Amino acid sequence: MTRYQRISQDVIRKADVLLEVVDARFPDETRNSEVERDIARAKKPFIIVINKCDLVSKEHLEKAKSRLSKIAPTVFVSSKDRFGTTMLRHKILEIAHIKGREILVGSLGYPNTGKSSVVNAVTGKHSAGTSSISGHTKAVQHIKAGSRIKFIDTPGVIPFGETDEYIQGMLAVKDSTHLQDPIGVALKIIEKLCNENKTALESFYHVTIEGENSYEVLELIGRESNFLKKKGQIDENRAAVKIINDWQRGRFIV
Ligand SMILES: Nc1nc2c(ncn2[C@@H]2O[C@H](COP(=O)(O)OP(=O)(O)OP(=O)(O)O)[C@@H](O)[C@H]2O)c(=O)[nH]1
Ligand SMILES: [Mg+2]
């Protein structure tokens, strides 16, 4: 068991309510089946928080909600815009069934989904440190949110054996400087955006995509960004790193 998994199990044991924070851009991929299994075993109430909902369209959100609400109560949140925080607070009070004492709420999930940001958005303070680089929260931190709720912010947990670098890059578990194959990761991001919101990609990079494959799109973006090597060839690596950074920093709506 890794240190993070131990921390997560400990939080599940202590908390009255658990939040599983997922990234609205890929709610299914950022669900953690191990964490959900541990929560179910402990018979604790839990809420799926679909965070970063400012980065996805309404249709995308509604589809995610109809799938995920079969598993647990689901709340949309944009920590950035402080949207959905009152709803989340109500939901916590409603499912906790605890009167007369403080409710302990554990915030769990993949690295970089916004666990700390959700806690800050609900409390209205910047008590929990946040960063676009994943792995920012290193240890458990208790944060009071009014007289009834206390949050436990945790470091991100990824399932044991989750080694696919493409997933790690897409989910911002690893930033561009730690990826062995940034071009491969950028191609996956391009593929996802071409399928889900090609216009966002086109307008952000000022390119027109008409049936090109992902590699050709990467080249188009490299050329348009003027990322050229000595002999005028396109510097695909530089283009890939830019795309990964833009994606991880939430510059596209999907
Ligand atoms: N656009 C957008 N960005 C968000 C939102 N919530 C968090 N972020 C950004 O996502 C990044 C990660 O946020 P954190 O709150 O540090 O995420 P975390 O899950 O606590 O990350 P670790 O502690 O590293 O596991 C930061 O750059 C945040 O600004 C949101 O609702 N919308
Ligand atoms: Mg954090």
Side-chain angles (χ1 to χ4, degrees):
M1 207 192 284
T2 64
R3 176 177 162 263
Y4 288 161
Q5 283 167 318
R6 258 195 299 278
I7 291 177
S8 131
Q9 291 196 351
D10 192 47
V11 169
I12 292 172
R13 199 163 40 77
K14 287 185 183 143
D16 301 302
V17 173
L18 279 314
L19 307 182
E20 181 179 27
V21 180
V22 300
D23 187 321
R25 294 172 296 171
F26 17 66
D28 301 298
E29 293 92 330
T30 46
R31 274 178 62 200
N32 187 328
S33 54
E34 279 187 15
V35 163
E36 289 181 16
R37 188 200 57 207
D38 292 342
I39 296 172
R41 275 194 191 147
K43 299 195 173 57
K44 296 283 171 87
F46 95 106
I47 300 168
I48 299 180
V49 178
I50 306 184
N51 184 43
K52 306 198 187 183
C53 75
D54 54 290
L55 296 179
V56 295
S57 66
K58 245 203 159 107
E59 300 92 90
H60 196 105
L61 269 183
E62 288 304 333
K63 278 194 202 148
K65 183 161 180 144
S66 68
R67 280 196 312 275
L68 296 181
S69 52
K70 294 189 185 110
I71 293 138
T74 302
V75 180
F76 297 143
V77 173
S78 165
S79 306
K80 185 172 157 237
D81 301 340
R82 290 198 65 196
F83 169 86
T85 51
T86 308
M87 174 68 102
L88 178 59
R89 189 184 265 276
H90 281 298
K91 207 61 180 175
I92 292 170
L93 296 173
E94 180 193 321
I95 69 165
H97 294 303
I98 288 173
K99 291 214 166 70
R101 71 165 172 87
E102 192 171 59
I103 303 166
L104 208 49
V105 182
S107 180
L108 295 171
Y110 261 64
N112 211 48
T113 53
K115 298 174 297 300
S116 305
S117 302
V118 166
V119 171
N120 288 341
V122 176
T123 60
K125 291 179 262 175
H126 288 279
S127 319
T130 64
S131 162
S132 64
I133 308 291
S134 75
H136 185 78
T137 306
K138 303 274 191 275
V140 166
Q141 196 187 348
H142 289 235
I143 295 150
K144 229 172 144 43
S147 60
R148 304 230 21 222
I149 297 175
K150 189 192 265 175
F151 283 104
I152 316 175
D153 186 26
T154 68
V157 246
I158 53 168
F160 202 54
E162 183 81 87
T163 50
D164 185 337
E165 186 168 68
Y166 301 128
I167 296 183
Q168 297 188 346
M170 286 273 282
L171 306 186
V173 171
K174 265 193 188 174
D175 65 85
S176 60
T177 58
H178 291 97
L179 292 167
Q180 312 249 338
D181 178 20
I183 292 179
V185 174
L187 294 178
K188 290 275 181 203
I189 295 169
I190 291 172
E191 209 175 288
K192 182 172 172 77
L193 282 165
C194 281
N195 287 334
E196 296 184 15
N197 192 349
K198 187 166 74 108
T199 325
L201 190 66
E202 289 180 320
S203 63
F204 191 81
Y205 292 114
H206 308 291
V207 293
T208 309
I209 303 167
E210 286 165 331
E212 286 86 352
N213 65 30
S214 312
Y215 194 80
E216 290 161 345
V217 174
L218 176 73
E219 290 188 317
L220 280 179
I221 294 171
R223 186 172 304 122
E224 180 60 33
S225 310
N226 221 7
F227 291 163
L228 301 176
K229 293 195 245 188
K230 273 192 197 125
K231 288 182 183 160
Q233 299 144 309
I234 296 160
D235 189 341
E236 299 108 342
N237 211 58
R238 202 169 152 208
V241 166
K242 175 164 170 50
I243 292 165
I244 295 165
N245 289 343
D246 291 337
W247 169 258
Q248 293 191 343
R249 287 167 196 171
R251 294 188 176 135
F252 307 107
I253 309 282
V254 290

